[in-house]
């Protein structure tokens, strides 16, 4: 078995979509970076790599057995064993996971570029291990877990705000005030005001979702800021992401 040493990881917990496991250039100062002393490296098929990167289901038992207690963390000069963790690659991309003792990849991380290149060198000329995915439920994307295409090309901040907007729209759809949907659609597309008045709540919501789930722009951001006002949980996320925007601008000036 191949092993890697002195690995920097930045864990994203409970993420079923790979686009939320941020690449190195999107890591932030306040992210909790950890150092792994030793961890197994597995060369796997494209299918299994996609399953680990973009899902949160049970991993093959044979894979878990192969990596059992072979990872060590260093904390305060002491070595701690990790039940199930590994670096996996399909030869084109890399992801690290830790199951926290369960059977699914609860925590995921990318690697720093230098260590990513090392992974590709280590598996060069080798054949991928064939692990069988025993049972899997076909994954469906929805408003709270958008299709990767709808997040493509966005920055970490934009992805976070887009997810926030989708959470607010989902809440709006299921609220006791469906008449508000037409109001927000008019905010989004004021030119259509006279037409919007004739739409049913359902038609208005579909149109609002279809319009906002593509890309990201200043219009998206404006709508998001307005729609979450007065909701403390949403406002906290909004403020956190906007602090990052000002930090980013300050670092550029």
């Amino acid at each position: 078995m191949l092993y890697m040493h002195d690995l920097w990881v930045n864990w994203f917990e409970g993420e079923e979509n790979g686009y939320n496991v941020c690449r190195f250039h999107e890591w932030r100062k306040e992210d909790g970076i950890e150092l792994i002393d030793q961890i197994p490296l597995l060369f796997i098929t494209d299918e299994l790599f996609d399953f680990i990167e973009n899902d949160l289901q049970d991993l093959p038992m044979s894979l878990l057995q192969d990596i059992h207690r072979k990872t060590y963390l260093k904390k305060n000069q002491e070595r701690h064993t990790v039940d199930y963790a590994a670096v996996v690659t399909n030869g084109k991309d890399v992801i690290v996971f830790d199951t926290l003792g369960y059977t699914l990849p609860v925590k995921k991380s990318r690697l720093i570029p230098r260590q990513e290149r090392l992974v590709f060198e280590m598996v060069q000329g080798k054949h991928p291990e064939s692990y069988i995915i025993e049972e899997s439920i076909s994954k469906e994307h929805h408003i709270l877990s958008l299709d990767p295409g709808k997040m493509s090309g966005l920055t970490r901040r934009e992805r976070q705000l887009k997810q926030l907007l989708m959470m607010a729209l989902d809440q709006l759809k299921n609220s006791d005030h469906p008449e508000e949907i037409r109001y927000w659609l008019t905010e989004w597309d004021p030119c259509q005001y006279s037409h919007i008045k004739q739409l049913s709540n359902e038609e208005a919501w579909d149109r609002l979702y279809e319009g906002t789930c593509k890309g990201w722009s200043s219009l998206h951001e404006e709508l998001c800021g307005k729609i979450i006002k007065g909701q403390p949980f949403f406002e906290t996320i909004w403020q956190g992401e906007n602090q990052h925007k000002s930090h980013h601008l300050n670092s550029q000036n």
Side-chain angles (χ1 to χ4, degrees):
M1 180 169 279
L2 298 170
Y3 290 94
M4 299 194 75
H5 300 273
D6 301 325
L7 220 60
W8 293 104
V9 289
N10 179 15
W11 295 120
F12 291 85
E13 198 164 320
E15 292 294 356
E16 58 171 324
N17 292 304
Y19 55 69
N20 282 331
V21 183
C22 295
R23 298 198 179 266
F24 174 67
H25 68 274
E26 291 195 316
W27 290 7
R28 292 171 174 170
K29 283 194 184 78
E30 70 275 17
D31 289 343
I33 314 294
E34 271 185 19
L35 180 64
I36 297 178
D37 199 34
Q38 172 187 302
I39 188 167
L41 165 61
L42 300 177
F43 185 19
I44 58 175
T45 61
D46 289 337
E47 183 196 11
L48 182 54
F49 185 87
D50 182 62
F51 182 77
I52 293 171
E53 182 184 36
N54 292 304
D55 222 323
L56 214 47
Q57 294 191 53
D58 288 333
L59 298 168
M61 280 314 296
S62 53
L63 184 153
L64 292 171
Q65 284 160 0
D66 283 352
I67 62 173
H68 187 226
R69 298 182 74 76
K70 289 181 176 168
T71 295
Y72 298 95
L73 287 180
K74 248 198 188 143
K75 280 186 183 164
N76 308 324
Q77 300 307 306
E78 283 183 28
R79 243 178 159 213
H80 298 267
T81 313
V82 176
D83 283 344
Y84 301 110
V87 179
V88 292
T89 182
N90 56 355
K92 300 181 275 289
D93 205 351
V94 185
I95 204 158
V96 192
F97 70 83
D98 179 352
T99 71
L100 291 182
Y102 299 101
T103 53
L104 51 157
V106 180
K107 297 200 299 186
K108 302 177 192 179
S109 174
R110 303 291 177 182
L111 291 183
I112 65 172
R114 177 175 55 81
Q115 292 176 326
E116 209 169 68
R117 286 195 297 275
L118 180 59
V119 167
F120 298 138
E121 285 168 21
M122 289 172 75
V123 300
Q124 207 168 8
K126 294 185 165 49
H127 294 288
E129 297 281 337
S130 67
Y131 293 105
I132 308 299
I133 300 168
E134 285 99 0
E135 278 181 50
S136 73
I137 301 149
S138 167
K139 179 174 171 176
E140 288 181 15
H141 289 285
H142 50 83
I143 189 167
L144 300 178
S145 173
L146 290 176
D147 179 276
K150 293 186 170 72
M151 290 293 198
S152 179
L154 305 190
T155 64
R156 177 172 177 176
R157 177 180 170 274
E158 288 166 349
R159 291 193 304 273
Q160 290 290 110
L161 290 181
K162 188 162 185 177
Q163 279 173 250
L164 177 60
L165 177 58
M166 293 298 133
M167 283 157 67
L169 290 184
D170 185 56
Q171 190 184 63
L172 181 65
K173 186 183 187 182
N174 300 302
S175 79
D176 299 332
H177 305 286
E179 67 283 352
E180 285 185 12
I181 296 168
R182 282 194 294 274
Y183 168 80
W184 289 114
L185 180 57
T186 308
E187 282 282 310
W188 171 253
D189 193 359
C191 302
Q192 296 291 319
Y193 173 67
S194 54
H195 177 59
I196 290 167
K197 282 195 296 187
Q198 294 156 20
L199 298 176
S200 70
N201 291 332
E202 206 168 287
E203 287 168 335
W205 192 88
D206 286 345
R207 190 163 292 200
L208 186 55
Y209 172 68
E210 287 305 321
T212 53
C213 74
K214 299 180 188 82
W216 187 257
S217 65
S218 55
L219 283 177
H220 284 83
E221 195 153 326
E222 213 174 293
L223 180 70
C224 185
K226 288 175 181 172
I227 207 167
I228 57 121
K229 274 217 163 54
Q231 301 187 66
F233 173 66
F234 289 168
E235 283 184 334
T236 304
I237 300 171
W238 170 263
Q239 283 156 7
E241 289 307 316
N242 279 308
Q243 279 171 347
H244 287 293
K245 184 180 186 180
S246 54
H247 286 165
H248 182 64
L249 291 172
N250 290 338
S251 64
Q252 285 183 324
N253 291 339

